[in-house]
Amino acid sequence: MQNTLVMVVEDDASLREAIVDTLEMDDISVIEASDGEEALALLKQNNVSLVVSDVNMPRLDGYQLLRKMATEWPELPVLIMTAYGSISNAVEAIQNGAIDYMEKPFSTQTLLGTVRRHLPIEKPENSDDPVAVDPETVRLFQLAKKVASTDSTVMIMGESGTGKEVLARFIHNNSSRLDKPFIAINCAAIPENMMEAMLFGHEKGAFTGAHQSHAGKFELANGGTLLLDEISEMDVNLQAKLLRVLQEREVERIGGKKPIPLDVRVLATTNRNLKESVEDGSFREDLFYRLNVFPLRWKPLRERKGDIVPLAERILLDKYSVSTAASKNGHMPLSWSLDESAKKRLIAHQWPGNIRELDNVMQRAMILATGAVIKEDDIFIPEDDLPFQNASQAAMPTNVTTLVGAPLHAVPAASGLGEDLKQREFEVILETLREEGGSKKNTASKLGISPRTLRYKLARMRESGIDFEVA
């Protein structure tokens, strides 16, 4: 929240100091005023994002301050603090333009949650640019920017979920074709019998169901950029037709008789080793060399640790700032932040699912968080929290009992490796609970997981039909 400034207006010096200290400890910049007149003077000198004001003050009270601000700073939000039980005061404040109110005395959590809920979202100037903090990523984007100024065909290689389309869009946005179309087609998502018509277009009556003519992706991208996403999934027979279009720089619709000239820059992505695909015959060698003019490899997230936290913060800022998930959890902060423990947890994970997995984890974190600051316990990554290694090394009890001594209904039989691991995990949790006398806190500590994660696991066990009791 470095770019935001909160002004606290309160005549009680000790309370004002407590509020200011609380906000500053939460990394919120604050200025303070003892009454409405001092507040007005400070507003003329500072770019304030939010005013937190008491109602009853000498010289100029909160209502008078509201009316003055409505004239000179009509867009500036004001959060009112009112004495316990003074609902009529709160209603009057809202009618005079306040965005919200807090009843005194209020908790630290209420203060921080309410203030952050009403702070404006501050996006960095380059918020539309891809995140590039890790040195490896910085070098990649420097290289991509150089090739963007040319019309060379680019092959972007990387694991699923690394954001290859983001890199493709960056190339388009930094090229002379910026104001022309950027068209993407996912070669893995479209059925083989539809791909040709999608790429090249078709005329009316060209095949059953072709009730009208349609332009293909090449035509739609004319003058701009066409992204062939996951090109390695394209059928070999269609690869030959694609190669001809790239060589001739013209396309002919299915059922058409007239070639359409093309001015299209082609980018392609793959999550496979295309050289191996060429060797095994699933990808044409001539097409490979036609597309692989300028290869770029985007490394997986585990190999660019410096990007993890900035990406997580970007996800929170861009995608989930105001979310239905947060609303269901009883709060809807306009901004989120990660504390140091959460950042360390994110960096320690290997991210096999790359950015897609990170996106899911951050969405879960917002659901689990009790405030606008996400902590380590809010970062739930199932594979990190499961005691699989301990489970595989421990002697698994064949007949686990509940803590009260009653027999436990059988743990569901495993049906595959994943289910077997789940079964072993459940057994370890139950055995540890028994050894710790039912103490969830001690059980979580012994298993090396957070109490929140243990509660989640116990809920999953109940959902699976495992009956047990814990003290």
Side-chain angles (χ1 to χ4, degrees):
M1 304 306 301
Q2 295 83 352
N3 297 324
T4 61
L5 181 63
V6 173
M7 181 164 68
V8 175
V9 190
E10 170 63 63
D11 61 318
D12 184 330
S14 59
L15 177 58
R16 184 173 70 246
E17 181 181 2
I19 294 173
V20 169
D21 288 347
T22 300
L23 295 176
E24 288 181 338
M25 288 177 64
D26 206 49
D27 198 27
I28 298 174
S29 300
V30 186
I31 57 174
E32 54 186 291
S34 60
D35 58 43
E37 285 193 4
E38 186 179 355
L40 290 174
L42 288 172
L43 284 171
K44 293 175 181 177
Q45 303 168 14
N46 297 272
N47 185 19
V48 175
S49 304
L50 174 70
V51 174
V52 181
S53 177
D54 190 19
V55 171
N56 298 314
M57 296 180 293
R59 298 204 295 174
L60 195 73
D61 66 22
Y63 300 126
Q64 294 169 317
L65 176 61
L66 271 172
R67 286 191 286 271
K68 291 273 188 181
M69 289 181 58
T71 302
E72 298 187 49
W73 298 277
E75 302 300 322
L76 183 55
V78 181
L79 172 62
I80 287 294
M81 300 179 288
T82 183
Y84 172 74
S86 301
I87 299 299
S88 59
N89 289 351
V91 172
E92 185 178 350
I94 298 295
Q95 290 173 342
N96 278 277
I99 54 168
D100 205 346
Y101 71 94
M102 294 184 295
E103 284 188 335
K104 298 178 182 178
F106 42 77
S107 66
T108 297
Q109 185 176 0
T110 297
L111 171 64
L112 293 175
T114 309
V115 167
R116 286 194 174 274
R117 185 162 63 245
H118 295 297
L119 280 174
I121 299 173
E122 295 286 342
K123 288 196 176 186
E125 293 180 3
N126 62 342
S127 61
D128 292 330
D129 292 341
V131 171
V133 178
D134 190 274
E136 288 288 337
T137 311
V138 171
R139 283 192 287 269
L140 177 67
F141 276 96
Q142 289 172 342
L143 194 58
K145 198 162 189 175
K146 288 182 179 179
V147 73
S149 62
T150 73
D151 257 352
S152 296
T153 304
V154 178
M155 174 67 75
I156 303 171
M157 297 165 283
E159 294 180 4
S160 293
T162 50
K164 297 186 290 295
E165 184 172 339
V166 172
L167 184 55
R169 287 186 180 273
F170 176 85
I171 293 172
H172 172 76
N173 290 339
N174 284 272
S175 72
S176 59
R177 299 174 182 266
L178 171 62
D179 59 343
K180 298 297 191 296
F182 176 90
I183 303 294
I185 181 168
N186 189 328
C187 300
I190 299 173
E192 181 182 328
N193 60 347
M194 294 176 58
M195 177 62 78
E196 184 176 357
M198 289 286 289
L199 271 177
F200 309 135
H202 62 81
E203 296 292 351
K204 180 179 179 180
F207 49 83
T208 303
H211 301 301
Q212 57 185 12
S213 300
H214 275 288
K217 297 296 185 181
F218 270 100
E219 281 184 74
L220 295 174
N222 217 350
T225 304
L226 176 65
L227 171 63
L228 301 171
D229 198 16
E230 303 302 352
I231 186 67
S232 53
E233 303 301 319
M234 183 178 289
D235 178 74
V236 174
N237 293 325
L238 187 55
Q239 290 175 26
K241 297 178 181 179
L242 172 62
L243 178 63
R244 182 184 177 281
V245 170
L246 296 178
Q247 289 174 337
E248 302 297 329
R249 292 189 172 273
E250 60 182 28
V251 67
E252 191 172 301
R253 292 181 181 180
I254 299 174
K257 300 177 181 178
K258 176 178 159 183
I260 302 166
L262 294 175
D263 173 24
V264 177
R265 186 199 194 152
V266 174
L267 309 177
T269 73
T270 180
N271 60 8
R272 296 185 183 182
N273 185 328
L274 276 187
K275 287 188 176 180
E276 292 181 357
S277 298
V278 169
E279 291 173 1
D280 65 26
S282 61
F283 200 84
R284 291 179 63 104
E285 184 176 22
D286 46 7
L287 180 58
F288 169 75
Y289 286 112
R290 172 66 64 173
L291 294 172
N292 201 46
V293 175
F294 201 103
L296 292 174
R297 178 178 179 266
W298 198 333
K299 291 188 176 181
L301 201 50
R302 62 183 172 275
E303 294 182 22
R304 43 190 178 101
K305 297 283 189 180
D307 288 340
I308 294 174
V309 170
L311 277 167
E313 293 173 337
R314 174 67 67 83
I315 290 168
L316 291 175
L317 179 67
D318 287 351
K319 296 193 68 175
Y320 300 115
S321 292
V322 179
S323 70
T324 54
S327 178
K328 289 177 182 177
N329 206 27
H331 55 78
M332 192 179 288
L334 291 181
S335 63
W336 298 81
S337 61
L338 297 162
D339 74 0
E340 288 304 314
S341 65
K343 293 177 182 179
K344 290 178 182 177
R345 178 73 190 281
L346 293 174
I347 292 172
H349 185 54
Q350 292 300 300
W351 301 108
N354 292 293
I355 299 173
R356 288 199 189 104
E357 182 185 5
L358 178 61
D359 190 294
N360 291 340
V361 168
M362 298 319 299
Q363 188 174 12
R364 285 198 294 264
M366 286 194 322
I367 297 172
L368 295 174
T370 55
V373 179
I374 293 174
K375 300 179 173 61
E376 180 182 11
D377 283 352
D378 304 323
I379 305 296
F380 174 58
I381 308 175
E383 53 268 40
D384 281 0
D385 283 336
L386 304 186
F388 285 160
Q389 184 177 5
N390 294 339
S392 64
Q393 294 172 350
M396 292 297 106
T398 56
N399 184 23
V400 183
T401 60
T402 66
L403 299 178
V404 294
L408 170 72
H409 291 303
V411 174
S415 58
L417 179 59
E419 289 300 315
D420 181 63
L421 289 173
K422 184 189 294 184
Q423 181 185 25
R424 289 176 179 272
E425 173 202 355
F426 289 172
E427 291 172 345
V428 168
I429 290 173
L430 289 170
E431 178 66 14
T432 307
L433 275 169
R434 183 185 62 77
E435 291 173 355
E436 297 300 324
S439 170
K440 295 180 185 177
K441 180 179 179 181
N442 293 344
T443 298
S445 177
K446 188 169 183 179
L447 291 174
I449 61 178
S450 69
R452 182 188 296 273
T453 299
L454 178 60
R455 290 195 296 272
Y456 174 85
K457 294 297 177 188
L458 293 175
R460 291 288 300 275
M461 291 164 66
R462 289 188 179 95
E463 292 172 1
S464 298
I466 301 174
D467 297 331
F468 62 91
E469 287 186 32
V470 292

